[in-house]
Amino acid sequence: MRKKIVAGNWKMNKTFDEGVQLVKEIIELYTLEVKNQVYVVLAPPFIHLYKLQPLIFGMPMLEMAGQNCSNMPNGAYTGEISASMLKSVGCDYVIIGHSERRLYFNETNDWLAKKIDIALANLMQPIYCVGETLEERNNGKLYQIIEAQLSEALFHLPEEQLRHVVIAYEPVWAIGTGLTATSAQAQEMHAFIRKIIADKYGNDLAENISILYGGSVKPDNARELFEQPDIDGGLIGGAALQARGFVDIVKAMK
Ligand code: PGA
């Protein structure tokens, strides 16, 4: 059975006090209204993780993620955060290959493959992001791009490791723009991703891997997206910064 997951990527938002407030509000609404039917993964900025983790302690379906990690285990890499550090403060997930990392920090598929390995070696589930730009979509290159993002960063993994990876399809043109892929466009790409995985690893793994959709998911479009057969949840940016809207999106996944 595929895990249903709604993850909130706060990006570079929220001071520490604002973060505490947001997590408390999410916990309150989640406990009242959702009750352990959907995994909720919160990805606040690194420096908040250590103090936010105790707030979700004892809530089995609420988990923490890093927004990124280094591709090196440790050492003289000023400003970097390692996978083992994230694990040591209670992260069970880490977002890898977000399009903002690819775009602003030049992260390539090869580079990201190393991050995937190091996350898995530290017993965290990577949430690996793939997605095409508008230009790539308009040129008809979208399938080629997604296939390369998958194969170059993930397909060196043995089957038992790939089982621990969550994939997020996030069309770059839909992130933070208010443009959402239609549910049909999203479903088509999710089915394509599952097929690529099935071709390489077989149906059993492909059917059991969670594939999330991300890109301007809001309370009013979440249900239609989440109803699609190959969409197992969402990676939420802007709408994850406010508890009411975020929990409404989680509820759309129930
Ligand atoms: P958005 O961001 O929901 O603000 O479009 C999604 C993401 O970047 O993961």
Side-chain angles (χ1 to χ4, degrees), residues 189-230:
M189 187 53 84
H190 281 234
F192 174 75
I193 292 170
R194 218 178 281 289
K195 181 179 178 305
I196 298 283
I197 295 170
D199 289 348
K200 171 83 180 163
Y201 289 91
N203 277 332
D204 180 57
L205 175 52
E207 283 305 320
N208 282 292
I209 203 157
S210 297
I211 309 178
L212 316 183
Y213 171 79
S216 298
V217 179
K218 305 278 181 263
D220 59 2
N221 61 19
R223 190 170 303 276
E224 195 187 332
L225 286 159
F226 295 167
E227 272 168 7
Q228 303 305 310
D230 286 298

Short mmCIF file of all heavy atoms in Angstrom, two decimals, residues 189-230:
data_model
loop_
_atom_site.label_atom_id
_atom_site.label_comp_id
_atom_site.label_asym_id
_atom_site.label_seq_id
_atom_site.Cartn_x
_atom_site.Cartn_y
_atom_site.Cartn_z
N MET A 189 1.44 12.68 -16.01
CA MET A 189 2.86 12.59 -15.68
C MET A 189 3.12 11.59 -14.55
O MET A 189 4.11 10.85 -14.58
CB MET A 189 3.41 13.97 -15.31
CG MET A 189 4.90 13.97 -15.12
SD MET A 189 5.81 13.28 -16.54
CE MET A 189 5.91 14.71 -17.61
N HIS A 190 2.24 11.54 -13.57
CA HIS A 190 2.42 10.56 -12.49
C HIS A 190 2.37 9.13 -13.04
O HIS A 190 3.16 8.28 -12.63
CB HIS A 190 1.35 10.77 -11.41
CG HIS A 190 1.65 11.90 -10.49
ND1 HIS A 190 1.68 11.78 -9.11
CD2 HIS A 190 1.96 13.19 -10.76
CE1 HIS A 190 1.98 12.97 -8.58
NE2 HIS A 190 2.15 13.83 -9.56
N ALA A 191 1.44 8.91 -13.97
CA ALA A 191 1.33 7.57 -14.56
C ALA A 191 2.60 7.26 -15.36
O ALA A 191 3.11 6.13 -15.33
CB ALA A 191 0.10 7.48 -15.45
N PHE A 192 3.13 8.28 -16.03
CA PHE A 192 4.36 8.10 -16.81
C PHE A 192 5.52 7.73 -15.87
O PHE A 192 6.30 6.81 -16.13
CB PHE A 192 4.68 9.38 -17.58
CG PHE A 192 6.00 9.36 -18.29
CD1 PHE A 192 6.16 8.63 -19.46
CD2 PHE A 192 7.09 10.06 -17.78
CE1 PHE A 192 7.41 8.60 -20.11
CE2 PHE A 192 8.32 10.04 -18.42
CZ PHE A 192 8.48 9.30 -19.59
N ILE A 193 5.63 8.45 -14.76
CA ILE A 193 6.71 8.18 -13.80
C ILE A 193 6.58 6.74 -13.27
O ILE A 193 7.56 5.99 -13.19
CB ILE A 193 6.66 9.20 -12.63
CG1 ILE A 193 7.02 10.60 -13.15
CG2 ILE A 193 7.58 8.77 -11.47
CD1 ILE A 193 6.77 11.73 -12.16
N ARG A 194 5.36 6.35 -12.97
CA ARG A 194 5.17 4.99 -12.45
C ARG A 194 5.54 3.95 -13.51
O ARG A 194 6.11 2.90 -13.20
CB ARG A 194 3.71 4.83 -12.00
CG ARG A 194 3.58 4.00 -10.73
CD ARG A 194 2.15 3.88 -10.24
NE ARG A 194 1.63 5.03 -9.53
CZ ARG A 194 2.00 5.42 -8.32
NH1 ARG A 194 2.91 4.73 -7.65
NH2 ARG A 194 1.49 6.49 -7.75
N LYS A 195 5.26 4.28 -14.76
CA LYS A 195 5.58 3.34 -15.83
C LYS A 195 7.09 3.19 -16.00
O LYS A 195 7.61 2.09 -16.19
CB LYS A 195 4.93 3.79 -17.14
CG LYS A 195 5.20 2.83 -18.26
CD LYS A 195 4.56 3.22 -19.56
CE LYS A 195 4.92 2.23 -20.65
NZ LYS A 195 6.36 2.03 -20.85
N ILE A 196 7.79 4.32 -15.93
CA ILE A 196 9.25 4.28 -16.08
C ILE A 196 9.85 3.40 -14.96
O ILE A 196 10.78 2.64 -15.18
CB ILE A 196 9.83 5.72 -15.94
CG1 ILE A 196 9.30 6.63 -17.01
CG2 ILE A 196 11.35 5.72 -15.91
CD1 ILE A 196 9.96 6.40 -18.32
N ILE A 197 9.29 3.56 -13.78
CA ILE A 197 9.79 2.76 -12.65
C ILE A 197 9.44 1.29 -12.86
O ILE A 197 10.26 0.40 -12.62
CB ILE A 197 9.23 3.31 -11.32
CG1 ILE A 197 9.79 4.72 -11.09
CG2 ILE A 197 9.59 2.39 -10.15
CD1 ILE A 197 9.14 5.46 -9.96
N ALA A 198 8.23 1.05 -13.34
CA ALA A 198 7.81 -0.34 -13.58
C ALA A 198 8.70 -1.00 -14.63
O ALA A 198 9.11 -2.16 -14.49
CB ALA A 198 6.35 -0.38 -14.03
N ASP A 199 9.03 -0.25 -15.69
CA ASP A 199 9.87 -0.81 -16.75
C ASP A 199 11.23 -1.21 -16.22
O ASP A 199 11.83 -2.19 -16.65
CB ASP A 199 10.06 0.21 -17.88
CG ASP A 199 8.78 0.42 -18.68
OD1 ASP A 199 7.84 -0.39 -18.51
OD2 ASP A 199 8.71 1.39 -19.45
N LYS A 200 11.73 -0.43 -15.27
CA LYS A 200 13.09 -0.69 -14.77
C LYS A 200 13.07 -1.68 -13.58
O LYS A 200 13.95 -2.53 -13.48
CB LYS A 200 13.67 0.67 -14.34
CG LYS A 200 14.96 0.63 -13.60
CD LYS A 200 16.16 0.51 -14.53
CE LYS A 200 17.45 0.46 -13.70
NZ LYS A 200 18.57 -0.02 -14.46
N TYR A 201 12.09 -1.55 -12.71
CA TYR A 201 12.12 -2.32 -11.46
C TYR A 201 10.95 -3.30 -11.29
O TYR A 201 10.90 -4.02 -10.31
CB TYR A 201 12.09 -1.36 -10.26
CG TYR A 201 13.36 -0.58 -10.06
CD1 TYR A 201 13.53 0.67 -10.64
CD2 TYR A 201 14.40 -1.08 -9.27
CE1 TYR A 201 14.70 1.41 -10.46
CE2 TYR A 201 15.56 -0.35 -9.08
CZ TYR A 201 15.70 0.89 -9.68
OH TYR A 201 16.86 1.60 -9.48
N GLY A 202 9.99 -3.23 -12.19
CA GLY A 202 8.83 -4.13 -12.06
C GLY A 202 7.64 -3.44 -11.40
O GLY A 202 7.78 -2.41 -10.75
N ASN A 203 6.48 -4.08 -11.61
CA ASN A 203 5.23 -3.47 -11.17
C ASN A 203 5.09 -3.36 -9.67
O ASN A 203 4.49 -2.42 -9.16
CB ASN A 203 4.04 -4.30 -11.68
CG ASN A 203 3.71 -3.91 -13.10
OD1 ASN A 203 3.97 -2.78 -13.50
ND2 ASN A 203 3.18 -4.84 -13.85
N ASP A 204 5.61 -4.34 -8.96
CA ASP A 204 5.39 -4.33 -7.51
C ASP A 204 5.97 -3.06 -6.89
O ASP A 204 5.29 -2.35 -6.15
CB ASP A 204 6.03 -5.58 -6.89
CG ASP A 204 5.80 -5.59 -5.39
OD1 ASP A 204 4.62 -5.53 -4.98
OD2 ASP A 204 6.79 -5.62 -4.63
N LEU A 205 7.20 -2.76 -7.23
CA LEU A 205 7.82 -1.54 -6.69
C LEU A 205 7.08 -0.30 -7.21
O LEU A 205 6.75 0.60 -6.43
CB LEU A 205 9.31 -1.49 -7.08
CG LEU A 205 10.06 -0.23 -6.68
CD1 LEU A 205 9.88 0.11 -5.21
CD2 LEU A 205 11.54 -0.40 -6.98
N ALA A 206 6.79 -0.28 -8.49
CA ALA A 206 6.13 0.91 -9.07
C ALA A 206 4.78 1.18 -8.40
O ALA A 206 4.42 2.33 -8.15
CB ALA A 206 5.94 0.72 -10.57
N GLU A 207 4.08 0.12 -8.08
CA GLU A 207 2.76 0.29 -7.46
C GLU A 207 2.86 0.73 -6.01
O GLU A 207 1.89 1.20 -5.43
CB GLU A 207 1.96 -1.01 -7.57
CG GLU A 207 1.39 -1.25 -8.95
CD GLU A 207 0.53 -0.09 -9.45
OE1 GLU A 207 -0.24 0.48 -8.66
OE2 GLU A 207 0.66 0.27 -10.64
N ASN A 208 4.01 0.52 -5.42
CA ASN A 208 4.13 0.82 -3.98
C ASN A 208 4.88 2.11 -3.67
O ASN A 208 5.02 2.47 -2.50
CB ASN A 208 4.78 -0.36 -3.26
CG ASN A 208 3.76 -1.45 -3.04
OD1 ASN A 208 2.82 -1.27 -2.27
ND2 ASN A 208 3.89 -2.54 -3.78
N ILE A 209 5.35 2.80 -4.69
CA ILE A 209 6.12 4.02 -4.45
C ILE A 209 5.15 5.21 -4.41
O ILE A 209 4.23 5.29 -5.22
CB ILE A 209 7.23 4.16 -5.51
CG1 ILE A 209 8.36 5.04 -5.01
CG2 ILE A 209 6.73 4.65 -6.84
CD1 ILE A 209 9.68 4.79 -5.73
N SER A 210 5.33 6.09 -3.45
CA SER A 210 4.44 7.25 -3.35
C SER A 210 4.95 8.36 -4.27
O SER A 210 6.13 8.71 -4.23
CB SER A 210 4.38 7.79 -1.91
OG SER A 210 3.84 6.81 -1.07
N ILE A 211 4.05 8.90 -5.06
CA ILE A 211 4.40 10.01 -5.96
C ILE A 211 3.49 11.20 -5.61
O ILE A 211 2.26 11.11 -5.72
CB ILE A 211 4.23 9.63 -7.45
CG1 ILE A 211 4.96 8.32 -7.76
CG2 ILE A 211 4.75 10.76 -8.34
CD1 ILE A 211 4.80 7.83 -9.21
N LEU A 212 4.12 12.28 -5.14
CA LEU A 212 3.39 13.46 -4.71
C LEU A 212 3.36 14.48 -5.84
O LEU A 212 4.28 14.55 -6.65
CB LEU A 212 4.08 14.10 -3.49
CG LEU A 212 4.55 13.15 -2.38
CD1 LEU A 212 5.13 13.97 -1.22
CD2 LEU A 212 3.41 12.27 -1.89
N TYR A 213 2.33 15.31 -5.85
CA TYR A 213 2.28 16.42 -6.79
C TYR A 213 2.59 17.72 -6.04
O TYR A 213 2.11 17.92 -4.91
CB TYR A 213 0.89 16.54 -7.45
CG TYR A 213 0.81 17.82 -8.25
CD1 TYR A 213 1.39 17.91 -9.51
CD2 TYR A 213 0.25 18.98 -7.68
CE1 TYR A 213 1.41 19.11 -10.19
CE2 TYR A 213 0.26 20.18 -8.37
CZ TYR A 213 0.85 20.23 -9.62
OH TYR A 213 0.89 21.44 -10.29
N GLY A 214 3.35 18.60 -6.66
CA GLY A 214 3.61 19.91 -6.07
C GLY A 214 3.56 20.99 -7.12
O GLY A 214 3.93 20.77 -8.29
N GLY A 215 3.13 22.18 -6.69
CA GLY A 215 3.05 23.32 -7.60
C GLY A 215 1.70 23.99 -7.44
O GLY A 215 0.71 23.54 -8.03
N SER A 216 1.68 25.04 -6.58
CA SER A 216 0.46 25.83 -6.35
C SER A 216 -0.74 25.00 -5.91
O SER A 216 -1.87 25.28 -6.31
CB SER A 216 0.12 26.67 -7.59
OG SER A 216 1.17 27.59 -7.85
N VAL A 217 -0.47 23.97 -5.09
CA VAL A 217 -1.60 23.24 -4.50
C VAL A 217 -2.22 24.12 -3.42
O VAL A 217 -1.51 24.71 -2.60
CB VAL A 217 -1.16 21.89 -3.88
CG1 VAL A 217 -2.36 21.18 -3.25
CG2 VAL A 217 -0.49 21.01 -4.92
N LYS A 218 -3.52 24.23 -3.45
CA LYS A 218 -4.28 25.08 -2.51
C LYS A 218 -5.46 24.26 -2.01
O LYS A 218 -5.83 23.26 -2.63
CB LYS A 218 -4.81 26.32 -3.25
CG LYS A 218 -3.76 27.15 -3.96
CD LYS A 218 -3.03 28.10 -3.00
CE LYS A 218 -1.98 28.95 -3.71
NZ LYS A 218 -0.63 28.48 -3.65
N PRO A 219 -6.10 24.73 -0.93
CA PRO A 219 -7.26 23.96 -0.44
C PRO A 219 -8.32 23.75 -1.52
O PRO A 219 -8.96 22.70 -1.56
CB PRO A 219 -7.81 24.83 0.70
CG PRO A 219 -6.64 25.63 1.17
CD PRO A 219 -5.79 25.87 -0.05
N ASP A 220 -8.48 24.71 -2.42
CA ASP A 220 -9.57 24.55 -3.38
C ASP A 220 -9.23 23.72 -4.62
O ASP A 220 -10.11 23.38 -5.40
CB ASP A 220 -10.16 25.91 -3.78
CG ASP A 220 -9.11 26.82 -4.40
OD1 ASP A 220 -7.96 26.37 -4.55
OD2 ASP A 220 -9.45 27.97 -4.76
N ASN A 221 -7.96 23.37 -4.82
CA ASN A 221 -7.68 22.48 -5.96
C ASN A 221 -7.11 21.13 -5.51
O ASN A 221 -6.90 20.24 -6.32
CB ASN A 221 -6.74 23.15 -6.98
CG ASN A 221 -5.39 23.52 -6.39
OD1 ASN A 221 -4.98 22.99 -5.35
ND2 ASN A 221 -4.68 24.43 -7.03
N ALA A 222 -6.89 20.99 -4.20
CA ALA A 222 -6.20 19.78 -3.71
C ALA A 222 -7.03 18.52 -3.95
O ALA A 222 -6.51 17.50 -4.39
CB ALA A 222 -5.89 19.92 -2.22
N ARG A 223 -8.32 18.60 -3.68
CA ARG A 223 -9.12 17.37 -3.75
C ARG A 223 -9.11 16.77 -5.15
O ARG A 223 -8.89 15.57 -5.32
CB ARG A 223 -10.56 17.65 -3.29
CG ARG A 223 -11.36 16.37 -3.10
CD ARG A 223 -12.69 16.62 -2.42
NE ARG A 223 -12.55 17.27 -1.13
CZ ARG A 223 -12.32 16.63 0.02
NH1 ARG A 223 -12.21 15.32 0.02
NH2 ARG A 223 -12.20 17.30 1.15
N GLU A 224 -9.28 17.62 -6.14
CA GLU A 224 -9.33 17.10 -7.51
C GLU A 224 -7.99 16.46 -7.90
O GLU A 224 -7.95 15.40 -8.55
CB GLU A 224 -9.67 18.22 -8.48
CG GLU A 224 -10.08 17.67 -9.83
CD GLU A 224 -10.27 18.74 -10.89
OE1 GLU A 224 -10.61 19.89 -10.53
OE2 GLU A 224 -10.06 18.40 -12.06
N LEU A 225 -6.90 17.09 -7.48
CA LEU A 225 -5.58 16.51 -7.77
C LEU A 225 -5.41 15.18 -7.03
O LEU A 225 -5.00 14.17 -7.62
CB LEU A 225 -4.48 17.48 -7.34
CG LEU A 225 -4.29 18.72 -8.23
CD1 LEU A 225 -3.57 19.83 -7.48
CD2 LEU A 225 -3.52 18.35 -9.50
N PHE A 226 -5.77 15.17 -5.75
CA PHE A 226 -5.52 13.99 -4.93
C PHE A 226 -6.44 12.82 -5.28
O PHE A 226 -6.18 11.68 -4.90
CB PHE A 226 -5.67 14.32 -3.44
CG PHE A 226 -4.64 15.31 -2.92
CD1 PHE A 226 -4.80 15.91 -1.67
CD2 PHE A 226 -3.50 15.63 -3.64
CE1 PHE A 226 -3.86 16.81 -1.17
CE2 PHE A 226 -2.56 16.53 -3.17
CZ PHE A 226 -2.74 17.13 -1.93
N GLU A 227 -7.51 13.12 -5.98
CA GLU A 227 -8.41 12.03 -6.40
C GLU A 227 -7.84 11.22 -7.56
O GLU A 227 -8.34 10.15 -7.87
CB GLU A 227 -9.76 12.61 -6.84
CG GLU A 227 -10.72 12.77 -5.68
CD GLU A 227 -11.95 13.60 -6.05
OE1 GLU A 227 -12.14 13.95 -7.25
OE2 GLU A 227 -12.70 13.92 -5.13
N GLN A 228 -6.83 11.74 -8.21
CA GLN A 228 -6.27 11.03 -9.37
C GLN A 228 -5.58 9.74 -8.89
O GLN A 228 -4.93 9.73 -7.85
CB GLN A 228 -5.26 11.91 -10.11
CG GLN A 228 -5.83 13.25 -10.58
CD GLN A 228 -7.06 13.07 -11.44
OE1 GLN A 228 -7.05 12.29 -12.38
NE2 GLN A 228 -8.13 13.78 -11.09
N PRO A 229 -5.72 8.68 -9.65
CA PRO A 229 -5.27 7.37 -9.16
C PRO A 229 -3.76 7.27 -8.89
O PRO A 229 -3.35 6.48 -8.04
CB PRO A 229 -5.67 6.41 -10.27
CG PRO A 229 -5.98 7.25 -11.46
CD PRO A 229 -6.41 8.59 -10.95
N ASP A 230 -2.95 8.06 -9.59
CA ASP A 230 -1.50 7.94 -9.38
C ASP A 230 -0.93 9.07 -8.53
O ASP A 230 0.29 9.20 -8.42
CB ASP A 230 -0.79 7.86 -10.73
CG ASP A 230 -1.01 6.49 -11.35
OD1 ASP A 230 -0.58 5.50 -10.74
OD2 ASP A 230 -1.67 6.40 -12.40
#
